[in-house]
Amino acid sequence: MLQPIRFRNVIILLVGVCIFTISVFLFRYKQSLVTLQPQSAGNSTLGFQRIEVINLPHRYDREDAILMQSVASDIEYEIFPGVYAKDLQESGLPPVSKAMEDEGPKACLRAHANIWRLMLKEKWSSALILEADAAWDVEIRAIMQRVSYALNDLMDTHPLSTSETLATEKDPYNLAKWDIISLGHCHENNQNSDHYQIFSDPDSPVGKKYKEILLNDERVVRESGGPVCTTAYAISPTGALKLLLRTAIDFNRPVDLLIMDMVGDGTLISYSIHPPPFAQWKYEQHIGAENRNSDIQSSNANQDDKSDDAWKKVHQSMNVWRLGDNYLDSSFRHSAFGALKQMAFGG
Ligand SMILES: *[C@@H]1O[C@H](CO)[C@@H](O)[C@H](O)[C@H]1NC(C)=O
């Protein structure tokens, strides 16, 4: 009677040991796969050689906002001076096939072109370029690390470049394979939108969709079709040269439309992230600050009213910033601005 039961116990024990050994092995193996992925995209410059923030020198408020969000997210950056329209002279700019109507976009393009030029002159391997009214999620370092993994996967499954390079700790985004990565657009064209990859991101905003697919703690990395707005984009040296050359031959397009055109016709290799991890901020409504919200359209800025309630809310939340109206796809699960009150005052 005892014999078969013991035998069965031995078998069960053996099977148990086997399952345990296999699990330990798989777990180790999976961990080694994870640690093989470069970690540097989560560093304080988000895996780029540097972060450059374009700010018009009189915008002390925007520089403060960048600094405080950077403290919240532990990010390091350099300030790059923007260009004033009044300092531009036609004789110092490239020829134009058709002139841009407003002065603001000319100055903005020139500021971006100044960074592309410096990048090439000083041989930066990569840069993340932010406009000074950029806002982001406080977890941006973790988010960008996930972005780098997903981008590398997508570049393997849908290569746009013939480069055989691999991502490394020094080059976590595999720079040879793209010109720009759009991280803070207000719109993306539909072209190429079938080449995408969904990736897990527990810091992604809730309730967003991609092509009718509900994103549950997920974001999407996709091939760009033509991004609009340049609040945040990463650039490689090849991207900088293409854009500087394009600017030098004809100074006729605002910077974001110039990028959109070149991505659209396939001359600029670009990827983009949805929902974008960066967006433009504006001052809250009804606090009389509408005219501070844009440098480019300052001529037709509408003065808004001041309401006591709006001001009360600002003081209570210690938060005077909201997302720009054009950035409908963006929102943050935990905005860096929203983290500031607790960080500064606790409680
Ligand atoms: C972050 O990683 C990138 C890529 O390795 C590197 O170029 C950059 O210097 C790093 N940033 C810091 C602050 O170490």
Side-chain angles (χ1 to χ4, degrees), residues 95-99 246 249-252:
V96 281
S97 56
K98 182 172 181 293
R246 171 60 186 81
I249 61 151
D250 189 357
F251 200 73
N252 65 331

Side-chain angles (χ1 to χ4, degrees), residues 113-134:
N114 286 352
I115 294 199
W116 306 332
R117 187 179 62 197
L118 190 66
M119 174 173 192
L120 294 167
K121 179 156 188 288
E122 296 190 347
K123 299 191 184 352
W124 307 344
S125 57
S126 63
L128 171 62
I129 300 178
L130 302 181
E131 292 176 349
D133 49 3

